[in-house]
Amino acid sequence: AQTVTQSQPEMSVQEAETVTLSCTYDTSESDYYLFWYKQPPSRQMILVIRQEAYKQQNATENRFSVNFQKAAKSFSLKISDSQLGDAAMYFCAYRMINAGNMLTFGGGTRLMVKP
Amino acid sequence: NAGVTQTPKFRVLKTGQSMTLLCAQDMNHEYMYWYRQDPGMGLRLIHYSVGEGTTAKGEVPDGYNVSRLKKQNFLLGLESAAPSQTSVYFCASSYRPQLGHEQYFGPGTRLTVT
């Protein structure tokens, strides 16, 4: 079974600074998708960024970028120029390409942003 | 588009009672999912559906049943609620996830079983 591990239960960053959230996963598949989701206090799950495993280039979405290391099975999220609105739970998720295409989530990292 | 909606938003049950959670999506998505989120944890898949009339078990299916009689609706049933089913339940849908399409999530239902 696939597992996703987020080793940092909590992280803190100063406003306007950069922070990196870690994620590792375990899989024997060669083709899959990886995601970072943000969950603010409203509980709504919001997709931050996605990475296709077959793409070597790291995905970028405005202030959010990933460092995807396929051989190491590592998928970290970098948030640049952190804003107060970035404070939330962040979940890393893995999706195997199969009949159900289900997401497997990590345990989450709570990000606090200090003004 | 309303996206993915869930009914109800909150519910309190006594042990042994039954209830049904309704998920509706208006995006013509094929795939629908039910997850639960316990405090301090990520979401875990309960059941899912790859199309109207089909359902399958996820990671934590025990104590739950589902039905997908209409493409736009996915129902999650608890036949005899237990305190261990106290959780926040999320529904999600996706058009073609195998092509990289994202899952869209509902706002969640907070269920407390006393």
Side-chain angles (χ1 to χ4, degrees):
Chain A
Q2 286 71 33
T3 57
V4 179
T5 302
Q6 294 179 247
S7 58
Q8 305 152 317
E10 279 191 2
M11 291 285 285
S12 180
V13 63
Q14 206 70 34
E15 196 175 5
E17 304 264 302
T18 296
V19 65
T20 298
L21 308 184
S22 301
C23 172
T24 58
Y25 57 95
D26 183 29
T27 184
S28 57
E29 303 294 323
S30 60
D31 201 9
Y32 47 86
Y33 294 96
L34 295 165
F35 304 84
W36 278 98
Y37 280 89
K38 172 184 177 181
Q39 187 180 42
S42 66
R43 290 201 313 244
Q44 183 68 50
M45 296 291 287
I46 302 165
L47 178 65
V48 175
I49 199 164
R50 129 188 52 209
Q51 175 79 44
E52 292 90 338
Y54 65 86
K55 289 188 177 179
Q56 290 186 333
Q57 187 173 7
N58 289 324
T60 300
E61 288 286 344
N62 301 314
R63 297 183 295 107
F64 299 87
S65 61
V66 299
N67 183 4
F68 173 47
Q69 301 289 329
K70 192 172 183 179
K73 296 178 184 174
S74 169
F75 183 60
S76 60
L77 175 69
K78 185 171 83 170
I79 306 174
S80 304
D81 186 24
S82 297
Q83 300 175 0
L84 295 177
D86 294 334
M89 285 291 291
Y90 286 82
F91 292 97
C92 177
Y94 164 96
R95 186 167 79 203
M96 185 169 60
I97 300 172
N98 65 356
N101 293 279
M102 303 89 81
L103 286 169
T104 299
F105 286 84
T109 296
R110 181 175 301 282
L111 178 66
M112 294 172 286
V113 181
K114 298 177 181 177
Chain B
N1 282 357
V4 180
T5 58
Q6 293 183 229
T7 308
K9 289 186 169 51
F10 302 94
R11 186 71 186 269
V12 178
L13 286 179
K14 289 186 178 0
T15 297
Q17 287 185 319
S18 64
M19 78 162 294
T20 300
L21 281 67
L22 170 64
C23 175
Q25 53 91 7
D26 60 0
M27 298 175 282
N28 198 35
H29 285 175
E30 296 291 336
Y31 290 69
M32 297 188 75
Y33 307 84
W34 275 108
Y35 295 90
R36 62 177 287 174
Q37 184 179 29
D38 298 315
M41 297 179 65
L43 281 66
R44 291 183 294 166
L45 183 67
I46 304 171
H47 285 281
Y48 67 96
S49 169
V50 301
E52 181 179 325
T54 73
T55 63
K57 293 179 181 180
E59 181 186 354
V60 288
D62 294 342
Y64 305 94
N65 56 75
V66 288
S67 64
R68 183 107 180 261
L69 299 179
K70 293 183 179 180
K71 187 176 185 179
Q72 63 268 35
N73 296 337
F74 195 30
L75 279 63
L76 178 70
L78 285 74
E79 291 183 346
S80 179
S84 60
Q85 294 177 304
T86 293
S87 191
V88 179
Y89 292 84
F90 287 93
C91 177
S93 71
S94 183
Y95 183 56
R96 293 276 191 268
Q98 62 273 38
L99 300 180
H101 296 173
E102 69 174 280
Q103 286 190 17
Y104 291 84
F105 285 84
T109 294
R110 182 177 293 279
L111 174 66
T112 302
V113 183
T114 61

